[in-house]
Each structure stands twice: as C-alpha cells, then as structure tokens.
Amino acid sequence: MVKFFKKLNMLLCLSAVLAGFIFCLCGFTAAVPKGVTINGESVGGMSVQAAVKTLRTKIEEELKEKTLKIIADEKEYSYTYPEISYKDNLRNVLKSAKRGGSYTAKITYYLCGLDEITAAICADESVEKVEPYAEFKSYGEPFVYRDGNDGRQVDFTRLKADIQTSLQGGFEPVTVKYLTVFRKKTVDSVKSDTKLLGRFTTSFDSSNINRSSNIRLAAAKLNGVVLGSGKTLSFNDTVGARLSERGFLPAKIIENGEYTDGVGGGVCQVSTTLYNAALLSGMTVTEYHPHSLSVGYVDPSRDAMVSGTSCDLKFSNPSGSPVYIRSRTQGGTVTFELYGKNDGAKYSIESVVTGSVPAEEEYCSDPGLVREGRDGLTSEGYLVINRAGFVKRVKLRSDKYLAQKRVTLLQPEIELTDNT
C-alpha cells in the first residue's frame, strides 16, 4: 500500500510539472492579436516572445545613442549603455493587447550601481576644509601662519535624485551642486593660541668645552618638541640616555653630595632651565628631583636634577591647546621658551632660604686635601600666580641641600725661645 501511494504522488508531481511547461510554452508561442502596435512598432501576429525581443532590440538601439552627463566644476562624468540599463512592462502590455490596439509600454531607465557611483562622485568632488594653522619652526621666527581654505561638499541625496530625474526625462545634463564648508577659525585666533607663555635662561662657563657640549646636545633634543593638550613630557624619554656613543662627554656631576666625573655632566642645567620655563608657562610639574648640593646657576628650590632612568623631570600640559618648546644655546647661556594658549595668568617663582646646615670642619697636614667647603641650607620654592590682579602664592617644594666639609691645613706649632 505504501508503494502505491509513493507511485501516485510521483505521478501527480510529474503531471504538475508537465502542466506548467505546457502553460509556459503556450505563453511564449501565443500570437499577439493582429494590428497591434507597441510604442509605434507593429507587432501584430508575432509570438509574444518574438514581439518582446523585437521591441527590446529597438529600445536598446535607441539607448545606445543616449548619454548621461554629470557636469562638475572642472570635470565631466559620462555614462552610456550598458552602464545605463532599463526595465519594461512589455509582457503585461502584450498579454492584454486587443486586436488593432495601439499601446505605449513603460520604459524605466536606471544607472547601474547608482549609489556607488553617486558616492564616488561626492568623494571625488569634495574638498576638505583646512582651518588656519601655524607651522612651528625650530629656528628663526617661531611660527609661520597659514590661511587654510574653505571646503566643499556634494549633497549625496540631491545628486542621486537629479540623476534619476534626468534618466526619466530627456537625459538632460546633471550639474553638480556644491555646499561650502566654511572655516571656523581665523589666523588671528591661531596667533592667540601661539603666544609666548614663558622664558627662562641660565648661564654656564663656555670655556668648559665638555660641559658646554653636553648642554648644547641635550637642549637641541628638546628644541621643536610639541606637547599636546593633556600630554606629559618626560625629559629622560625625550633627551635619551646620556652615553658616550650618543655624543655625551665626561664632565663634573653631583653624586651623593660630592662633585665627581661622569658622562653627561651639565645636562642637569638643561633640565633645570626647562623646569623653570615650564613653571613660568603654567605647566603642571608632575616629577622633579633636587640636587644633593645647591647649584650656582639657579636659586635654591629651583633646580631639577635628572639621572639615568630613576630621576626624571616630567610636566603635563593643562592648557587645552598644544604647547611648543624651543631651546637656544649661544655663548654661555641656555634658554627655553614655551609657546601656546595663554590662560590669562602671569607666573613668577620665589626662592626662600629657611635655614643653614653648618659644614663640618677638619684639619689635615696634606695641602693637596685642603678644600674650602661650604654650608648647606634648607629652602622653599613658591609659585606666584597673578590673575587679573588677584595674587595667589602656592608652595611648590621644600628642600635640604647638604653641606660640603671644610678641610683646613694644620699649621705647624711655633717654638718660642727665651732671649733673656
């Protein structure tokens, strides 16, 4: 019984397929009533299939003569068949045609890949807006100011609609319409963001060749640095390791309260000069280290020692705009200048000596061991902020600088003689 139903089901399926085939065959072979014209073309008596083929051949021949032109400012985009194709309702018209009837079929033209082509034209014809800007220079005048340019955009939706309208009309040329994207800034506003914020200079002995060379080398590595808003500058990362293979020379350094020879002596004067310039420019110092001894090129509590990777100078930029750093070493001076957006305040630094640390003294009989020595001291550093006449004094640090032992030559005793 199961086999019987399977055979019956198979016969029914084959019958349905055969019926469909016969129906389609009739549709293709059915004749168009006599005297019928479609779009001015006589197709009466033809099979529907032949009529469709004849009419579409004529449509395509006419389409090959058409060109869609899209005209931009300096460029023209052209599209023809088969980039332009069409849709029709010929079969529906033919099936409902009556003897001797004259009919008009609907022909709809379209550009293949319309969205992609429109997007490509928009991208090709758009001009990026460039705001006025400043070119930062390491030497000479610090900035060269550029005007930038307005931008332009093409409206994707409008261009697409204009293309479709042209295709359904008489293939009239489409003119690209532009929207101007205006600059928001002016050169004057850029200039206001590149004011001199602070400058600081220290002096050194230019006759000390090795130390002078180290100062110039370290300062040059910081010249031209741009510190973005919210970013932090690391002196050690920027200058790099003070090694002989990187051009640094042996010179005196302070180590454990004593002057000793070391590669890169003098670099601490560069970090100290930058430290003061940063404070005077409104930067936020996040790491500094005092020397173990007070130094001669700045007042107490204004120094910033750097050493290896353990002691660094770091400061961040809270201004909301980039800060531009320039250094200059000439003669016996090193100078740092910071440029950027002024926050309206004027900054100064005060150094206050709060006490002394007496130096130990000892005597010796060897003139080669004699040294002058000096007292140490304690001190405090303050940042004075003057904003529109309102003065605020902020304590930055408290420091203790070691004393250097005095070694005095022991004088020989004088023997007295009795002349009486």
Side-chain angles (χ1 to χ4, degrees):
M1 183 64 69
V2 174
K3 289 183 178 180
F4 171 77
F5 280 113
K6 283 186 176 180
K7 288 181 179 180
L8 180 61
N9 187 46
M10 186 178 296
L11 288 171
L12 290 173
C13 290
L14 288 171
S15 298
V17 172
L18 183 60
F21 175 76
I22 293 170
F23 177 80
C24 293
L25 184 61
C26 291
F28 279 111
T29 58
V32 179
K34 291 185 178 181
V36 172
T37 59
I38 306 291
N39 292 356
E41 187 76 15
S42 178
V43 292
M46 295 182 182
S47 67
V48 171
Q49 183 179 9
V52 168
K53 183 176 180 180
T54 298
L55 292 167
R56 285 182 175 172
T57 298
K58 183 181 178 182
I59 292 169
E60 290 172 7
E61 287 175 352
E62 292 176 352
L63 181 54
K64 289 175 183 178
E65 302 299 319
K66 297 178 182 292
T67 300
L68 170 66
K69 292 184 178 181
I70 301 174
I71 301 171
D73 271 356
E74 299 178 356
K75 193 173 182 180
E76 184 175 287
Y77 304 83
S78 297
Y79 303 93
T80 57
Y81 178 83
E83 294 169 299
I84 300 172
S85 192
Y86 66 94
K87 297 177 182 178
D88 62 60
N89 64 343
L90 289 172
R91 290 191 181 278
N92 291 336
V93 173
L94 288 167
K95 286 178 182 179
S96 61
K98 304 298 181 183
R99 186 183 181 94
S102 179
Y103 302 92
T104 302
K106 183 179 180 182
I107 312 299
T108 303
Y109 298 104
Y110 63 91
L111 181 61
C112 299
L114 174 60
D115 285 348
E116 291 78 5
I117 289 173
T118 305
I121 293 173
C122 288
D124 197 27
E125 292 299 316
S126 294
V127 175
E128 195 73 27
K129 173 189 68 175
V130 178
E131 296 287 355
Y133 63 97
E135 289 182 1
F136 181 43
K137 303 292 185 181
S138 298
Y139 301 95
E141 288 297 318
F143 297 99
V144 175
Y145 296 97
R146 305 298 185 190
D147 291 329
N149 58 265
D150 291 332
R152 72 178 186 189
Q153 290 181 344
V154 179
D155 187 330
F156 175 91
T157 303
R158 180 172 180 177
L159 179 58
K160 180 179 175 180
D162 288 348
I163 290 171
Q164 291 171 319
T165 299
S166 172
L167 293 175
Q168 302 321 310
F171 278 65
E172 296 85 359
V174 174
T175 301
V176 176
K177 307 294 192 307
Y178 299 96
L179 298 173
T180 302
V181 183
F182 294 101
R183 288 162 286 182
K184 295 180 180 179
K185 290 184 177 181
T186 64
V187 171
D188 286 342
S189 69
V190 175
K191 288 181 178 179
S192 71
D193 291 344
T194 53
K195 298 283 189 182
L196 176 64
L197 301 178
R199 176 191 290 123
F200 194 73
T201 299
T202 60
S203 300
F204 58 88
D205 179 8
S206 59
S207 66
N208 187 331
I209 303 301
N210 283 14
R211 192 171 187 280
S212 299
S213 177
N214 292 335
I215 289 173
R216 282 193 295 271
L217 180 57
K221 292 182 181 297
L222 290 152
N223 189 29
V225 169
V226 179
L227 183 62
S229 175
K231 300 297 183 180
T232 296
L233 180 140
S234 161
F235 184 94
N236 284 342
D237 289 348
T238 306
V239 173
R242 276 72 79 185
L243 302 171
S244 56
E245 53 264 37
R246 299 188 69 242
F248 290 95
L249 303 175
K252 292 293 183 183
I253 61 173
I254 299 174
E255 188 172 23
N256 299 322
E258 297 290 341
Y259 282 95
T260 185
D261 290 326
V263 175
V267 171
C268 288
Q269 182 164 351
V270 178
S271 59
T272 293
T273 308
L274 179 58
Y275 168 77
N276 282 266
L279 288 173
L280 293 171
S281 302
M283 300 297 100
T284 303
V285 175
T286 56
E287 182 181 346
Y288 77 92
H289 300 271
H291 289 84
S292 55
L293 302 175
S294 61
V295 295
Y297 45 83
V298 287
D299 292 334
S301 289
R302 295 188 65 168
D303 60 324
M305 181 267 293
V306 290
S307 176
T309 57
S310 59
C311 295
D312 200 358
L313 166 65
K314 294 181 180 178
F315 59 86
S316 61
N317 170 16
S319 70
S321 293
V323 166
Y324 307 86
I325 300 173
R326 291 231 302 186
S327 69
R328 184 175 67 255
T329 308
Q330 58 182 20
T333 62
V334 56
T335 300
F336 277 95
E337 297 172 337
L338 274 65
Y339 296 83
K341 186 174 183 178
N342 195 302
D343 64 0
K346 294 181 179 180
Y347 299 90
S348 59
I349 306 170
E350 289 183 1
S351 169
V352 179
V353 175
T354 56
S356 64
V357 179
E360 295 180 9
E361 187 171 7
E362 67 178 33
Y363 296 89
C364 73
S365 57
D366 184 353
L369 298 178
V370 171
R371 72 176 188 182
E372 189 173 321
R374 61 175 172 173
D375 291 339
L377 57 88
T378 57
S379 62
E380 296 174 345
Y382 293 86
L383 183 66
V384 182
I385 308 168
N386 187 329
R387 197 181 298 275
F390 295 94
V391 179
K392 183 179 180 180
R393 192 167 179 259
V394 179
K395 184 177 179 179
L396 295 173
R397 52 193 279 188
S398 296
D399 300 297
K400 180 179 180 180
Y401 298 96
L402 299 176
Q404 284 185 288
K405 184 187 294 185
R406 293 185 180 91
V407 180
T408 304
L409 185 65
L410 183 65
Q411 298 295 328
E413 292 184 7
I414 300 173
E415 208 176 294
L416 298 177
T417 58
D418 189 353
N419 295 322
T420 60

